[in-house]
Amino acid sequence: MNIDDAALAESIRKLTQTPVDDGSVITALEQVVTACVDLFDVGGAGLLIADEQDVLAYVAASDGPGRILETTEAEAGEGPCTEAFVKDRVVTSRDITAEAERWPVLASRLADQPVHAVLGVPVRIGGVPVGTLDVYQEHPHDWDDSEIAALGRYAEVIATTLAAALQAHTAGELARQLQYALDYRVLIERGVGYLMAKEGIDAVLAFNRLRGAARNRRTKIGRVAEHVLETGGLPE
């Protein structure tokens, strides 16, 4: 992937100046995701945004394989995009199909798809992760620092689009999801940290414990995190 800094800067400028005024922030996000593919010469791209349970949900993808990548990550709660969101840092994979031990569901589901190298970048509003921008290559690929930095800058375009939609009151249901993610992120992180220390598990597994309890009880993950911090354990 060859990155022209001048072209990147100009494309970002144009995208950030595009008004989100047609009542559909999803349409705007789809345009940004599609532009990402051409700009970075990747196989595909997609976007996951936290819902009201602070669980990543599919929002947009550039193509069919990208959609499968996004929806599988959202359902399984594993993969570079999930880790990027939970750990608030860029996460890469040279070949997702070769990482069956680390991400078994994802590796199996994508085995017959043209999705190999994957990179997940946190999308932040006010410094708080609310989702991930994800790109993939159709062959194994080692992501270098210039690619990571450029895609990190592009994730800011997503954040700008979301923030503009919130200010223009055009985000609808997505606005409620984003607000919940912003309001409860710190509490959820504390719950994750508590489970990590108590059970000796990593951040993603602790996050998925909270997520699973929230789904089983049909409640929001923030309430489960509150319960953990108040009682020292997950709800029965």
Side-chain angles (χ1 to χ4, degrees):
M1 177 167 62
N2 296 319
I3 301 169
D4 185 318
D5 284 343
L8 175 60
E10 178 61 15
S11 296
I12 288 177
R13 184 189 67 79
K14 288 180 179 178
L15 286 166
T16 55
Q17 290 181 353
T18 300
V20 184
D21 57 6
D22 65 350
S24 177
V25 65
I26 301 300
T27 299
L29 293 172
E30 288 173 344
Q31 293 172 348
V32 172
V33 167
T34 300
C36 179
V37 176
D38 293 333
L39 182 60
F40 294 100
D41 192 25
V42 292
L47 179 66
L48 296 173
I49 296 293
D51 64 15
E52 288 191 352
Q53 286 191 332
D54 205 40
V55 175
L56 291 176
Y58 169 81
V59 172
S62 61
D63 55 16
R67 184 183 180 112
I68 291 174
L69 169 65
E70 301 298 275
T71 55
T72 302
E73 285 234 22
E75 292 166 3
E78 66 177 38
C81 316
T82 301
E83 289 197 12
F85 174 69
V86 175
K87 298 179 179 179
D88 190 20
R89 62 177 176 82
V90 174
V91 176
T92 66
S93 171
R94 183 179 188 276
D95 184 357
I96 200 78
T97 64
E99 304 215 50
E101 183 174 345
R102 186 179 184 187
W103 300 314
V105 175
L106 203 58
S108 175
R109 183 72 187 278
L110 295 173
D112 60 350
Q113 296 295 323
V115 177
H116 288 277
V118 178
L119 183 149
V121 185
V123 174
R124 306 179 183 92
I125 295 180
V128 177
V130 296
T132 58
L133 168 66
D134 317 304
V135 300
Y136 74 84
Q137 294 282 17
E138 298 174 347
H139 50 79
H141 172 74
D142 293 311
W143 303 96
D144 63 35
D145 290 343
S146 66
E147 294 170 327
I148 292 171
L151 284 160
R153 290 169 61 192
Y154 199 77
E156 296 174 4
V157 173
I158 306 289
T160 299
T161 302
L162 290 171
L166 289 172
Q167 292 177 356
H169 306 290
T170 61
E173 178 64 24
L174 186 59
R176 288 185 286 276
Q177 295 175 195
L178 289 169
Q179 194 58 56
Y180 190 87
L182 291 168
D183 291 344
Y184 284 87
R185 177 72 186 197
V186 172
L187 179 65
I188 293 166
E189 286 182 345
R190 288 177 59 201
V192 167
Y194 182 89
L195 290 178
M196 290 174 65
K198 180 182 178 182
E199 302 185 15
I201 56 180
D202 68 16
V204 175
L205 182 54
F207 177 81
N208 281 327
R209 292 274 177 86
L210 293 178
R211 182 176 85 152
R215 284 183 167 178
N216 290 339
R217 296 176 65 85
R218 296 183 180 178
T219 189
K220 295 179 180 179
I221 194 171
R223 292 182 180 177
V224 175
E226 286 178 336
H227 182 91
V228 167
L229 294 170
E230 290 172 358
T231 68
L234 291 164
E236 296 182 359

